[in-house]
Amino acid sequence: MNLLRLSATGVLVIMMSLTAGAQIKLNKKALKSGSKVVKAATLSDEEVIAYTKEYIRWMDENNPVAPENDELAQRLKKLTAGLTNYDGLDLNFKVYLVKDINAFACADGSVRVCAGLMDIMSDEEILGVVGHEIGHVKNTDSKDAFKTALLTSALKDGVASQGGAAATLSQSQLGDLGEAVANSAFSRKQESKADDYGYAFLKDNDVNPWYMSTAFEKLLGDTGGEKKGSQLFSSHPDTEKRIKATAKKAEKDGFERPE
């Protein structure tokens, strides 16, 4: 099994080695090339969600999910209390006991936070990350990215032959899909909108929105700066600019930088 570097289902953060345990498992297979182009119209939103549910079920079965009595699981449960239905979305939260500094959200409302992220961030910063990821779902970035992954991965011929009908995916197909998802990225505009959503999410939950900025700062600080980790920041360009923009917005709104 290899490391899942970036997840297009809504990854805000990067991954680096800590001591929290294993890394996210992904059945990484070489993608098959093909000339057939499958139009996005072959998949409805409902079918994409059906595939998404199967994908996240596979991820949960193949990664160490923190049990309910785990300290990190209890921490996340407390942080997200009252958020299982937010802004019209049905959400569910789990912790992966892996060392990746990572979090992602899927179009079906599944939000997954890695132990590595929780180890380096405060409760408020974790909420900022969660809000950012929910923003990608609310803005349909997660759904659109997943659809693209379905239609550009080795699954495309199978999806086309089924006429877009959601069907049970094999282990190898899920591995191919995971690879396609991992190699996707969001645009600057999408990231900026998700930042704005995360900022508003913190305010809506009575948390100082400055914590969006400090969460970004920790990502840069723990990788020795963006230059050192530039490849890992490939889907999240202009991180320093995003730190400054969020901080400036918080100052304008009258919030003080937390100690």
Side-chain angles (χ1 to χ4, degrees):
M1 297 290 185
N2 292 309
L3 171 67
L4 173 60
R5 295 186 64 84
L6 292 169
S7 172
T9 49
V11 172
L12 167 66
V13 295
I14 61 160
M15 296 172 278
M16 60 180 289
S17 296
L18 292 176
T19 57
Q23 293 169 317
I24 290 179
K25 291 183 180 179
L26 179 68
N27 186 11
K28 196 172 183 181
K29 293 169 61 67
L31 294 181
K32 302 174 183 178
S33 61
S35 59
K36 182 180 294 185
V37 177
V38 181
K39 295 181 180 179
T42 61
L43 283 174
S44 68
D45 288 347
E46 291 76 15
E47 288 162 345
V48 172
I49 294 298
Y51 278 118
T52 301
K53 288 181 180 295
E54 190 169 352
Y55 172 77
I56 195 63
R57 183 167 57 249
W58 184 88
M59 289 290 287
D60 287 351
E61 290 173 352
N62 286 274
N63 287 284
V65 175
E68 288 188 10
N69 62 352
D70 180 87
E71 181 180 354
L72 292 180
Q74 288 294 314
R75 182 184 174 195
L76 185 63
K77 182 178 180 180
K78 183 178 180 180
L79 283 175
T80 58
L83 294 176
T84 52
N85 187 286
Y86 181 83
D87 199 9
L89 297 172
D90 291 324
L91 303 170
N92 67 87
F93 304 88
K94 290 183 181 180
V95 176
Y96 282 180
L97 296 177
V98 295
K99 61 186 177 182
D100 307 34
I101 300 178
N102 201 357
F104 65 93
C106 293
D108 69 331
S110 297
V111 182
R112 301 295 180 261
V113 183
C114 296
L117 177 79
M118 299 186 74
D119 284 343
I120 70 164
M121 291 193 175
S122 68
D123 289 353
E124 295 85 357
E125 288 164 343
I126 292 169
L127 269 181
V129 171
V130 168
H132 176 101
E133 300 306 332
I134 293 173
H136 278 306
V137 176
K138 189 66 180 179
N139 296 334
T140 75
D141 301 338
S142 301
K143 179 185 66 182
D144 295 341
F146 197 83
K147 179 184 287 189
T148 298
L150 278 168
L151 300 177
T152 59
S153 72
L155 284 171
K156 62 184 179 182
D157 289 341
V159 171
S161 67
Q162 296 162 14
T168 300
L169 305 179
S170 68
Q171 291 290 314
S172 62
Q173 285 176 323
L174 284 162
D176 288 330
L177 175 58
E179 174 69 358
V181 168
N183 286 333
S184 300
F186 291 130
S187 68
R188 284 176 171 82
K189 183 177 180 180
Q190 288 173 319
E191 291 293 1
S192 179
K193 289 181 66 177
D195 290 348
D196 290 342
Y197 191 96
Y199 181 95
F201 176 84
L202 289 181
K203 288 181 64 177
D204 189 42
N205 286 281
D206 299 320
V207 177
N208 187 340
W210 255 102
Y211 284 105
M212 278 295 297
S213 183
T214 61
F216 283 124
E217 289 176 351
K218 283 190 176 178
L219 294 178
L220 284 178
D222 284 320
T223 56
E226 188 166 1
K227 184 176 181 181
K228 179 178 178 182
S230 59
Q231 183 177 0
L232 295 176
F233 276 101
S234 60
S235 71
H236 308 289
D238 302 324
T239 303
E240 290 182 343
K241 291 182 180 179
R242 292 164 67 187
I243 291 173
K244 293 177 181 178
T246 306
K248 184 177 180 180
K249 189 174 182 180
E251 289 176 345
K252 184 177 179 181
D253 286 346
F255 291 93
E256 294 185 2
R257 180 185 173 93
E259 296 294 333

